[in-house]
Amino acid sequence: MAIRVLDPKVAGRIAAGEVVERPASVVKELVENSLDAGATRVSVEARGGGVGLIRVTDDGSGIGTDEVETAFGRFATSKLGTADDLYSITTLGFRGEALPSIAAVADVEAITCLGGRASGDFVRLHDGEVAEHRPAGRSTGTTVTVRGLFRAVPARLKFLRSAATENAHIARVVSRYALAFPEVGFTLDIDGRTVLNTPGTGRDTDAVAAVYGAEVASKLLPIRADDAPRWQDGGPEVAGMVGGPDLSRANRDSLSLFVNRRWISSRNLAWAVEEAYQGMLMTGRHPVAIIKIRIPPGEVDVNIHPTKAEVKFRNERAMFAAVQKAVRSTLVESAPLARIEDPVAPYTAPPSARQSWSTPRPAPSTFMLPLEATPTPGAVLPALRVLGQLDSTYIIAEGPDGLYLIDQHAAHERVVYERVLDQQARRQVEVQGLLEPVPLEVTPEQDEVLRDGYKQLEAFGFSIEPFGNRTYLVRSIPAVLGGKEWGAMMREALDAVIEGKRTDWTEDITVTLACHSAIRAGQTLTDNEMRELVRQLEQTGVPRSCPHGRPAVIHLSTRQLEREFRRA
Ligand code: ADP
Ligand code: MG
């Protein structure tokens, strides 16, 4: 095919694909514009998962009559003057791509009024072009309304998930900005319901309470970094709030990082935070933390990705060390009762970028088993004789062909998982009633999925109903939980649904339920308990792995042992 320069409309749509991935991206860009315009109040409205309508209203500077059409042109920005300015960015936007990108994939209207003017402008764009521009009345500020997102890009529309999930992503975006800008009052309305309302007092605790609930806010410690450099002296200055070890989560969603008020995604810095908790959190648990970093703008490059969520630091190691130190000293000073193995946390090299984030770090150990032990492949387990427990974590057992090591948590997870499925199939779910209804408070994003699906939880033994204001009343819980902390289980399951790793809600709930009900590593078991667990494991359909796919059993065959001991 001959080489041709693309039609500008096609080029615009291709570029839009990078900026506008899903409805939440539109919300992000519009909110950033409001914040850049100095707004003190930002209200966001979404309908139909954001595909029907997204509207962002602010009381910021507004746009002048002569400029309002220009603002929708590609690479039109008031935030950068020269190429050098790229290296000292202090605004959230700067690429001049958001408004034209949104207009390329949706119908857009804006009403705006520049400060000091008596009236403003209305513009309407269709197919990326200005279709209407006339005077309109409003007070200082801007309202942008986006309708029919991706209607002209069916391929993109197909990739969107349920309205509830898209809503949850929108809620997440607004929540992040609410945390980053506590002095701005945010409201978020989804399909006519107010799901978030922050007071805009400027205090971190108030913003955190609005997003995570009062209980979490009361458990967060303000970061102390008295001896840290100030950002004017080259920084990095680290502020924010961190949760004590009792506030852990099963995933990293509650760890938010901000650099010069921009939410960023950084495995490296997330790892620095986790490092600071060394010895305080159980394996597989992650902290709740809001980390706000300030550095001179020249120290960070925010222009490496169209969504501006990934950044590059001039001195990555210094950033890592500063974050780790600030979090660590806050935890050590504020929580002297926590079990702390090495109070002076040494600098640890971050994992290389290539290393998979989910790869667990090997536990420090002087003795390594030189055997090529393999997870048992077969679907069934032979009858096993329990020999003892290792490290309060593994059961050692003997079988017809060698030695079996069983991870007690993974094994029990598998047992509970199959029990839950079985009870559901037979419609005989064991339920434990609570003495009185207990309120469960969830975040705006969790609320979006729970509101949609709380009835599905009944099949598991939960009796739960909405109680208004992101609160639900729980009257009964599944008996398999055995009185364990079900609130954490519920939040984790909701997060899993939002992440959308699975297509089926039920599967997420079952897996999380099993994980939370199962005995933990580190728990000493009696001989009887071990025998009972092994017996139950033998009867499951897939005894060799837990529902997450982690091995539950490692088998060392007699042949392997003979080889290792050079007997054969
Ligand atoms: P960028 O934010 O990268 O400059 P955008 O396409 O998002 O690019 O916006 C283009 C320009 O439109 C901005 O630089 C700003 O001058 C103006 N603008 C957009 N939204 C607003 C708003 N809510 N209030 C005031 N000005 C705005
Ligand atoms: Mg912008």
Side-chain angles (χ1 to χ4, degrees), residues 123-309:
V123 279
R124 182 167 62 81
L125 285 95
H126 179 71
D127 213 4
E129 286 177 9
V130 178
E132 196 180 343
H133 182 179
R134 55 174 165 81
R138 73 151 284 166
S139 51
T140 305
T142 304
T143 301
V144 178
T145 308
V146 177
R147 291 193 182 86
L149 180 64
F150 298 139
R151 196 186 294 144
V153 199
R156 196 48 83 100
L157 212 47
K158 259 193 262 161
F159 277 96
L160 296 186
R161 302 178 52 89
S162 71
T165 306
E166 295 303 331
N167 285 341
H169 281 272
I170 290 172
R172 176 179 295 185
V173 163
V174 180
S175 301
R176 278 175 186 157
Y177 283 107
L179 293 173
F181 288 78
E183 76 279 27
V184 176
F186 286 87
T187 52
L188 171 61
D189 283 275
I190 292 183
D191 295 326
R193 294 170 284 113
T194 302
V195 301
L196 179 70
N197 193 351
T198 72
T201 57
R203 278 196 305 265
D204 275 343
T205 32
D206 293 336
V208 170
V211 172
Y212 287 113
E215 194 196 330
V216 170
S218 70
K219 287 189 185 162
L220 287 174
L221 315 163
I223 288 183
R224 310 182 180 185
D226 308 334
D227 55 342
R230 301 187 33 82
W231 72 276
Q232 295 93 332
D233 306 326
E237 197 176 293
V238 182
M241 306 188 85
V242 292
D246 54 329
L247 206 63
S248 68
R249 295 281 190 268
N251 57 38
R252 294 184 175 82
D253 289 345
S254 300
L255 198 172
S256 309
L257 296 163
F258 301 93
V259 172
N260 293 347
R261 299 224 158 174
R262 183 189 303 281
W263 178 85
I264 60 152
S265 137
S266 162
R267 291 176 172 189
N268 204 3
L269 294 187
W271 207 66
V273 175
E274 301 223 331
E275 273 287 299
Y277 279 81
Q278 209 177 52
M280 297 186 189
L281 289 182
M282 279 196 311
T283 326
R285 303 298 296 179
H286 304 282
V288 177
I290 296 137
I291 309 288
K292 299 181 166 183
I293 301 166
R294 248 185 119 180
I295 44 171
E299 292 290 310
V300 54
D301 186 354
V302 291
N303 188 30
I304 58 175
H305 193 268
T307 62
K308 303 162 287 184

Side-chain angles (χ1 to χ4, degrees), residues 29-30 32-33 36 79 92-99 308:
E29 294 296 338
L30 296 181
E32 286 189 353
N33 282 347
D36 281 345
K79 302 169 193 174
L92 294 166
F94 55 87
R95 298 172 60 105
E97 282 186 317
L99 293 182
K308 303 162 287 184

Side-chain angles (χ1 to χ4, degrees), residues 32-47:
E32 286 189 353
N33 282 347
S34 297
L35 293 168
D36 281 345
T40 65
R41 298 216 56 88
V42 177
S43 69
V44 181
E45 197 185 324
R47 288 181 191 276

